[in-house]
Amino acid sequence: MNYQKLILILPIFLIFTEDTKGIESSQSFSERFSWSEWSQLPPPPGSSTQPGLAGAFSGITGSYLLVAGGANFPESPPWDGGTKTWWDHIYAVHLDSIEAGWKIYPEALPHPLAYGVSISLPEGILCIGGCDSRSTYSDVFLMRFSGSSFEYEQWPSLPVPLSNMTGCRIDDKIYIAGGLESMEKPSATSHFLVMDLNDISAGWKTLEPWPGPPRAFAVSAAQSDGFDNCFYLFSGRNFGPEKDLEVLTDGYEYNPRLNEWQKLDHPDGPQFPVMAGIATPSGANHVVFFGGVEATIPMKEQQLKKKLQLLKEGPETIGTNDSIRAVEAAIRSLLEEHPGFSREIRFYHTITNTLVTHSSSPFPIPVTTNLLKDDDRYYITSGELRPGIRTPKILRIDTVSLTQSIGVLNIFVIIIYFGILVGMGWFFSRRQKSSTDYFKAGGRIPWWAVGLSIFGTALSAITFMAIPAKAYATDWSYMLMNAGIILVAPLIIFLFIPFYRRLNITTAYEYLEQRFNLTTRLICSISFILFQVGRMGVVLLLPSIALHVVTGIDIFLCISLMGVLSLVYTMMGGIEAVVWTDALQVVILLGGAIFAVFYIGMDVEGGIRAVITEGMADNKFAMASTDLDLKNPTLLTVLLATLFANITTYGTDQTMVQRYLTTRNEKMAGRSVWTNVVLTVPATLIFFFVGTCLYVFFKANPPLLSSTVSDGDAIFPWFIYTQMPPGLSGLLISGIFAAAMSTLSSSMNSAATAYSVDIHFRFGWSAKRDKLWLARLFTLILGLSGILFAVLMATWDIKSLWDEFQKILGLVLGGLGGLFLLGLLTRRANGPGAVIGLLGSIVVQFWVSKTGMVHLLLYAGTGFVSCFLIGYLSSMFFPGRSDDITHLTIYELIKKKKYE
């Protein structure tokens, strides 16, 4: 057929008509982050007399960079008797026309103010606390700038006046830590406050402080710990009237979900000499520090000042005045000859708990300042270069990509792999003689191949990346979720498969019409089709994003390659091509994972034994908690979740049910399920162990971690691409493609099967058309719909739309397992009761999701149970069917067993 030649040429056309330079240009290279492009903005007007500002409020609102308030020594440095002055001026510059220069707005702040916290919000810059020469303030106000004038909106005040504290925003909450309450007798505090931006009227709440000393001049940042977005607190200065100054180098992590603090530093862990510096999150798990004050000079200065105070307050003796002058001269010399604060740029990784020095700035990095982010550009706004000395200069830092080609050999391996898949589709297309062949392969596929296909369908590219990433970032708490098939395999083999085989159906939803009514069949089938189209989009998009951020391959090229090639061999070869390509892809997936374990083991000093030892020492093999708590992922939660989820997936999902029907008989179908079980258990262990290996490897080699890869699930692709030799890395990248395409092809074929059988053929709309031709047409339409959905999500950044879409359909599909068991296990249940049960489970699911009464893993269980119970109870209010339905229930199997 002519269309077969066309679709055979199409994948090659897609690859080689892509801009050839793009394959070897920045779109095809690995992005590694560098802070090496530094520059300075023109200083604000009057900088010759205005020596810069420390502790200024600053932020970006609209397209303007604002610097407000601050303090300095305008006349002379402090050792020459200079007086510290607080300001109420605001400086503004338009970031799209920096050459036009700054505008100054004198006395634009409500009063002189410095050393507070400023946070950029969409509606303006939030200014929190601060001080002047006499007092600290609890005021909080939102500063809006129209381009020519300022407006101020008062927000709830802090519970105590604070200055020199630190703070940042995490999701929709703002956190403030430490600071000083008074200017008269300044003393570091342990205040820890939070305000919810969704409930501003509730004001600030006081939280439990960190388990360490009080501090001011600390540094904070918001970043993910691999599971939750957390508040990180570093360094600072502890001092007061009755205690010596102590420069702190400790660190703490606060998890808002758990409401718990964890100390970061330990004898073998990192120290953080970054007092009064600045920090920003970068990538998925990095915190980047710029500069900071190290302990040596502040401690020496403090000792001299203390000695001076003792001399002045003590009894006057011969030589006292000389001693005072000598100490004053020593202090003056120390300040005058101060070399400036640290220029180092340090990277802290929240998962491996490692700190490395990345590079040094070509310019002095000030302290008591702010770091502002504007897309891929950062600004450091004025600040203090050394004690008493400010800078009016604004530093600009542009991120730079250091590139590394994907390589001709890797491209060749990927093309060969794709060519094999298309060839398999063409081979099996010659065996498709009818729609029965296309949907059920004529029952001629061997059980072991079907088992491989079931396994491959359940293991998507998201899973291929997400399981190692989850074990790398956390531990093995979720391992039992993947091994849950062991619990339900007997139920699938001895209950579900016999019914599907003996009823000689093509889709699982045919059973629902026979047992209940057409309405139930249509609701479930249409929901399934829509879900699979959406699933195709996500299965295409998420791996494409990961491959893009790691390799630089264009997202749309990734989507096109995986989507079109999957569509090609699925459309040509039907379920038979899907099953056999799945089998091939499983070999590549498992082979790649096993190879990765040994390859990482060779790169870790001490080998696999060292991986196990280090993993155990860091509690990376921990399983779920044994607490009887259904709101967290405890052992009980995971076991219940995997039980209900696997019954629904393996018992009612058309992608699985269709495979049970491709074998020669019921016994062979059962063997295919056991094949999947035998594969799932060791595969789960392998993939989780890959994650632990990655953790140990990158903990030992923290400079090899990328600080720009924003997708936490991309850690395995990052290792593959950057650490494995060419050819092998291409093969494992093909494995990621394979994982995605095995799921894609299954979704395409099963969605087309559901539409054809449950809707189009069911209503007789194909009387004058060849059913095989229609089946391929529906595969094409639904496959292209999934590809288009992925492209739209990538273009419009509408992943949130998918989240809502998935939630809505999940409300329906969550009750499917209960609906099928309602039909199989009871004779009393009827059509109206089943529909009410399904609708009732939607209401229950919505209520459970809103109240959070159980962990989200259990949503499958709540939908399952609620549908079963509501459906059964509702059926009592409607008359049952007049015909005998025993053959549609478990009682038929019981009767047959009894007489066998």
Side-chain angles (χ1 to χ4, degrees):
M1 298 176 67
N2 292 333
Y3 79 87
Q4 291 181 349
K5 295 179 181 178
L6 175 64
I7 57 181
L8 278 172
I9 296 171
L10 183 59
I12 301 173
F13 176 80
L14 277 172
I15 293 173
F16 290 103
T17 56
E18 178 73 16
D19 183 4
T20 311
K21 293 182 179 179
I23 296 292
E24 295 295 335
S25 70
S26 60
Q27 287 192 349
S28 302
F29 294 87
S30 170
E31 292 186 355
R32 301 189 186 182
F33 206 54
S34 170
W35 299 91
S36 60
E37 278 202 5
W38 293 70
S39 59
Q40 296 178 332
L41 268 63
S47 58
S48 58
T49 58
Q50 168 60 277
L53 300 160
F57 295 87
S58 60
I60 295 175
T61 177
S63 298
Y64 287 91
L65 187 155
L66 304 179
V67 180
N72 59 22
F73 296 87
E75 302 298 334
S76 59
W79 53 84
D80 286 336
T83 301
K84 190 172 185 178
T85 303
W86 274 253
W87 298 91
D88 54 8
H89 301 344
I90 299 179
Y91 300 88
V93 64
H94 198 287
L95 294 176
D96 294 333
S97 56
I98 294 176
E99 64 281 354
W102 293 79
K103 291 183 179 180
I104 183 171
Y105 298 85
E107 302 179 357
L109 278 178
H111 57 84
L113 197 63
Y115 301 107
V117 169
S118 51
I119 294 177
S120 297
L121 299 176
E123 57 269 38
I125 301 171
L126 190 66
C127 302
I128 305 169
C131 66
D132 57 23
S133 60
R134 301 184 304 273
S135 305
T136 56
Y137 293 90
S138 61
D139 299 341
V140 178
F141 58 88
L142 184 69
M143 179 170 61
R144 293 190 176 94
F145 182 55
S146 65
S148 59
S149 62
F150 293 89
E151 292 182 0
Y152 299 95
E153 177 186 336
Q154 293 298 318
W155 281 34
S157 298
L158 297 170
V160 293
L162 283 176
S163 69
N164 302 101
M165 65 286 204
T166 185
C168 64
R169 177 180 176 179
I170 303 178
D171 300 325
D172 290 331
K173 293 182 178 180
I174 293 175
Y175 292 85
I176 297 294
L180 308 174
E181 288 188 24
S182 170
M183 295 298 290
E184 292 182 3
K185 294 183 178 181
S187 180
T189 69
S190 294
H191 293 298
F192 187 46
L193 311 172
V194 63
M195 181 171 65
D196 191 340
L197 295 177
N198 294 318
D199 188 14
I200 297 173
S201 61
W204 296 87
K205 296 180 181 179
T206 300
L207 301 175
E208 189 72 22
W210 55 95
R215 67 199 60 216
F217 301 99
V219 179
S220 63
Q223 184 55 285
S224 170
D225 66 348
F227 192 83
D228 297 304
N229 289 328
C230 296
F231 177 85
Y232 287 88
L233 179 66
F234 306 97
S235 190
R237 180 189 298 180
N238 182 19
F239 62 98
E242 305 299 328
K243 53 187 175 184
D244 294 337
L245 182 147
E246 179 187 8
V247 176
L248 306 169
T249 59
D250 52 354
Y252 301 88
E253 173 196 276
Y254 173 75
N255 187 312
R257 180 179 62 86
L258 301 176
N259 191 28
E260 291 180 357
W261 283 97
Q262 178 181 348
K263 200 169 189 292
L264 298 177
D265 59 315
H266 51 79
D268 298 324
Q271 303 293 312
F272 304 95
V274 294
M275 184 191 79
I278 42 181
T280 182
S282 179
N285 303 108
H286 274 96
V287 174
V288 183
F289 298 103
F290 294 84
V293 181
E294 298 181 350
T296 307
I297 292 175
M299 294 295 288
K300 191 172 182 180
E301 179 187 354
Q302 176 74 7
Q303 291 166 359
L304 287 171
K305 286 183 176 180
K306 187 172 182 180
K307 183 176 180 179
L308 180 63
Q309 181 180 1
L310 290 174
L311 286 171
K312 288 181 176 181
E313 294 177 354
E316 186 173 348
T317 62
I318 298 175
T320 297
N321 291 333
D322 291 338
S323 297
I324 290 174
R325 283 192 293 271
V327 173
E328 288 177 337
I331 294 174
R332 177 191 178 95
S333 176
L334 179 68
L335 296 177
E336 284 183 331
E337 298 175 6
H338 192 292
F341 302 121
S342 172
R343 294 190 181 194
E344 288 190 349
I345 302 167
R346 300 176 175 93
F347 282 36
Y348 172 69
H349 194 254
T350 61
I351 292 176
T352 58
N353 193 32
T354 52
L355 181 71
V356 296
T357 299
H358 177 272
S359 58
S360 293
S361 163
F363 300 105
I365 299 179
V367 298
T368 58
T369 183
N370 296 308
L371 181 72
L372 309 179
K373 186 177 189 298
D374 183 35
D375 293 328
D376 293 329
R377 179 170 286 172
Y378 295 81
Y379 297 91
I380 298 177
T381 55
S382 193
E384 184 175 356
L385 291 181
R386 55 193 179 95
I389 301 298
R390 276 52 167 164
T391 175
K393 297 174 181 177
I394 308 294
L395 296 180
R396 181 171 63 193
I397 312 162
D398 290 288
T399 60
V400 180
S401 297
L402 303 180
T403 60
Q404 173 182 323
S405 173
I406 189 173
V408 175
L409 183 57
N410 286 335
I411 294 174
F412 179 75
V413 170
I414 294 171
I415 291 176
I416 290 296
Y417 174 72
F418 285 157
I420 292 173
L421 294 182
V422 174
M424 292 177 71
W426 174 79
F427 174 80
F428 288 110
S429 69
R430 299 182 300 172
R431 305 176 66 173
Q432 310 303 305
K433 307 300 182 185
S434 66
S435 61
T436 301
D437 283 336
Y438 194 79
F439 294 137
K440 298 168 71 173
R444 56 179 173 260
I445 302 179
W447 57 268
W448 57 268
V450 175
L452 290 172
S453 180
I454 292 172
F455 175 80
T457 299
L459 183 67
S460 69
I462 300 172
T463 310
F464 183 73
M465 297 185 299
I467 291 180
K470 179 64 69 177
Y472 160 80
T474 57
D475 51 33
W476 288 32
S477 295
Y478 288 85
M479 190 194 70
L480 292 177
M481 281 298 297
N482 275 46
I485 181 60
I486 301 173
L487 301 175
V488 303
L491 184 66
I492 302 301
I493 292 169
F494 297 111
L495 179 60
F496 285 92
I497 290 179
F499 274 97
Y500 294 141
R501 297 286 311 199
R502 293 173 191 181
L503 293 174
N504 194 29
I505 58 179
T506 303
T507 74
Y509 314 112
E510 286 183 83
Y511 168 76
L512 293 179
E513 181 179 4
Q514 293 184 35
R515 178 62 182 85
F516 297 121
N517 53 32
L518 177 60
T519 302
T520 309
R521 177 183 182 178
L522 292 177
I523 290 174
C524 294
S525 184
I526 292 172
S527 297
F528 171 81
I529 293 168
L530 292 175
F531 183 82
Q532 291 303 320
V533 170
R535 187 189 186 202
M536 281 186 260
V538 173
V539 168
L540 279 169
L541 177 63
L542 296 187
S544 296
I545 292 173
L547 288 170
H548 170 70
V549 298
V550 168
T551 68
I553 299 176
D554 185 74
I555 290 178
F556 298 102
L557 179 60
C558 286
I559 291 173
S560 300
L561 286 174
M562 289 189 290
V564 174
L565 288 169
S566 297
L567 182 57
V568 165
Y569 70 74
T570 303
M571 188 173 149
M572 287 194 299
I575 189 64
E576 195 166 10
V578 170
V579 169
W580 283 107
T581 53
D582 282 353
L584 171 65
Q585 288 160 343
V586 165
V587 172
I588 294 175
L589 284 173
L590 289 181
I594 293 170
F595 176 80
V597 167
F598 287 103
Y599 191 87
I600 298 172
M602 289 189 295
D603 274 355
V604 172
E605 186 177 351
I608 299 297
R609 179 177 296 180
V611 170
I612 296 172
T613 302
E614 183 76 15
M616 292 180 67
D618 289 352
N619 209 30
K620 300 300 288 185
F621 294 104
M623 301 293 286
S625 167
T626 56
D627 294 342
L628 300 179
D629 179 9
L630 296 181
K631 291 187 176 181
N632 287 299
T634 61
L635 183 62
L636 178 61
T637 300
V638 171
L639 286 175
L640 289 174
T642 191
L643 175 66
F644 291 113
N646 279 283
I647 290 176
T648 301
T649 299
Y650 289 97
T652 69
D653 192 309
Q654 175 61 22
T655 57
M656 298 297 177
V657 172
Q658 193 168 349
R659 280 154 177 74
Y660 307 151
L661 307 175
T662 60
T663 58
R664 190 170 68 251
N665 53 44
E666 182 181 317
K667 184 178 180 181
M668 298 298 104
R671 286 185 180 179
S672 70
V673 174
W674 285 121
T675 301
N676 176 56
V677 172
V678 171
L679 285 172
T680 299
V681 175
T684 299
L685 294 172
I686 291 169
F687 282 118
F688 271 88
F689 192 64
V690 167
T692 305
C693 289
L694 291 170
Y695 169 81
V696 174
F697 173 80
F698 282 116
K699 183 179 180 181
N701 302 279
L704 299 179
L705 284 162
S706 169
S707 64
T708 52
V709 175
S710 57
D711 184 357
D713 287 345
I715 188 64
F716 191 23
W718 175 257
F719 176 85
I720 291 171
Y721 186 65
T722 60
Q723 301 305 314
M724 287 191 170
L728 289 174
S729 58
L731 187 62
L732 267 77
I733 289 173
S734 298
I736 297 174
F737 283 123
M741 293 167 70
S742 64
T743 303
L744 280 173
S745 59
S746 298
S747 292
M748 290 175 182
N749 187 264
S750 60
T753 304
Y755 175 78
S756 301
V757 175
D758 293 326
I759 300 173
H760 205 90
F761 300 167
R762 166 65 178 76
F763 291 102
W765 297 341
S766 58
K768 297 180 181 180
R769 289 281 189 178
D770 175 42
K771 288 187 176 182
L772 177 59
W773 184 88
L774 286 171
R776 285 178 167 144
L777 176 64
F778 300 148
T779 302
L780 175 65
I781 293 172
L782 291 170
L784 288 177
S785 299
I787 296 169
L788 178 62
F789 190 57
V791 171
L792 289 176
M793 285 194 290
T795 305
W796 294 343
D797 191 22
I798 55 171
K799 183 179 179 296
S800 58
L801 176 63
W802 161 249
D803 292 337
E804 296 304 315
F805 175 78
Q806 187 182 40
K807 287 178 184 176
I808 294 170
L809 289 177
L811 296 177
V812 178
L813 298 175
L816 268 185
L819 186 65
F820 273 82
L821 278 190
L822 179 67
L824 290 170
L825 300 184
T826 71
R827 284 181 285 202
R828 185 68 185 86
N830 51 45
V835 173
I836 293 173
L838 196 59
L839 297 177
S841 74
I842 294 174
V843 175
V844 171
Q845 289 283 75
F846 182 80
W847 176 73
V848 168
S849 65
K850 289 298 181 183
T851 59
M853 61 180 299
V854 296
H855 191 270
L856 59 88
L857 288 175
L858 285 174
Y859 288 178
T862 55
F864 189 111
V865 173
S866 60
C867 183
F868 186 93
L869 293 178
I870 295 173
Y872 185 81
L873 294 174
S874 299
S875 296
M876 295 182 177
F877 296 94
F878 299 94
R881 289 170 54 170
S882 57
D883 56 328
D884 185 14
I885 59 170
T886 303
H887 67 290
L888 299 174
T889 68
I890 194 174
Y891 300 101
E892 178 73 10
L893 294 179
I894 294 174
K895 185 190 299 183
K896 288 188 176 182
K897 292 291 183 182
K898 183 178 180 181
Y899 289 103
E900 285 179 358

